[in-house]
Amino acid sequence: MTTDAQILTLTQWFSPAFPIGAFAYSHGIEAAIDSGQIVTNEDLYQWLADVLEHGSGRNDCILLRAAYRCADEVSLGKVNAAAHAFAGSAERIKETTLQGSAFVKTTNAIWHEKAPDCAAPVAIGYAACRLGLPVGLTASMYLQAFTSNLVSAAVRLVPLGQTEGQETLTALTPLCLKVAKDAAAADIDDLHSTAFLSDIAAMKHETMKPRIFRT
């Protein structure tokens, strides 16, 4: 049974106030907006739906659950290696590595853990297990926070109104729940990505000038 304290811990982790610097990353959306691929609220919805269901959203949930099942740092290292292997560009590796490192630094300090640096979803899954947090809720809230951050980036860049952005986030909530649930039946061998435009946008962002976001 999920307790109020567990819910509040996860809310703390996925709050914009938690110091992992998520606001600095657009996951390639800045390049997609610059090239005219995301112009409207509907464009944003479809882009993020593809990322969640066919790209890094789905993979991150699989990695998070795999890390949750790790009994030691040896098995955790194998999951982390898979996370790096499936990051489709240099910026994707930077994004997941730096956020993961910041997450580990903060959680180690607050909860007196000694977890090693890992990619973001791997670090979160491993920490959730060690603190006894429910993996299903952790995965769902991770995806919702991931999506919320990208919606926020689009609100600033397209630009979209705040209400339109929240409408998009609300519309994507059922998909976040579905992807997180479906990942329960998957393992590392099921990792794949067919969100090619998102991957290409992340690669184009590496040489984009000027730019606001780190990725």
Side-chain angles (χ1 to χ4, degrees):
M1 181 180 294
T2 303
T3 67
D4 290 346
Q6 290 173 325
I7 294 171
L8 289 178
T9 296
L10 289 171
T11 301
Q12 179 181 355
W13 283 5
F14 299 124
S15 164
F18 204 72
I20 65 170
F23 62 87
Y25 304 96
S26 81
H27 208 67
I29 277 188
E30 183 171 20
I33 292 171
D34 183 70
S35 66
Q37 293 173 285
I38 300 176
V39 178
T40 67
N41 205 31
E42 178 57 34
D43 294 337
L44 177 63
Y45 171 87
Q46 194 57 62
W47 185 277
L48 294 181
D50 287 344
V51 170
L52 287 172
E53 194 164 20
H54 305 293
S56 50
R58 173 185 177 275
N59 282 348
D60 280 1
C61 271
I62 293 173
L63 291 163
L64 187 155
R65 285 181 174 273
Y68 193 94
R69 295 190 293 267
C70 287
D72 52 52
E73 291 190 13
V74 174
S75 56
L76 182 70
K78 294 178 180 179
V79 175
N80 194 50
H84 281 81
F86 277 85
S89 66
E91 285 203 350
R92 287 282 171 83
I93 292 175
K94 177 192 295 184
E95 183 175 314
T96 194
T97 300
L98 294 181
Q99 289 188 79
S101 179
F103 178 86
V104 168
K105 180 180 179 180
T106 304
T107 53
N108 279 353
I110 295 172
W111 285 278
H112 309 294
E113 295 289 332
K114 295 182 180 179
D117 280 358
C118 293
V122 179
I124 290 168
Y126 191 59
C129 178
R130 291 173 70 85
L131 294 179
L133 304 178
V135 65
L137 184 60
T138 302
S140 297
M141 292 183 68
Y142 170 85
L143 276 189
Q144 200 266 355
F146 170 77
T147 306
S148 178
N149 188 62
L150 298 187
V151 166
S152 179
V155 165
R156 285 173 277 171
L157 290 172
V158 170
L160 295 175
Q162 295 284 350
T163 300
E164 287 182 301
Q166 290 304 308
E167 286 175 346
T168 300
L169 183 58
T170 300
L172 287 166
T173 295
L175 185 58
C176 289
L177 292 169
K178 178 182 182 299
V179 172
K181 182 179 179 180
D182 289 349
D187 59 29
I188 294 297
D189 292 336
D190 296 305
L191 289 169
H192 65 75
S193 175
T194 54
F196 300 123
L197 291 180
S198 175
D199 293 337
I200 292 170
M203 295 174 192
K204 288 183 175 179
H205 191 267
E206 293 177 11
T207 56
M208 180 179 166
K209 295 180 181 180
R211 65 184 190 179
I212 298 172
F213 293 88
R214 298 184 72 175
T215 67

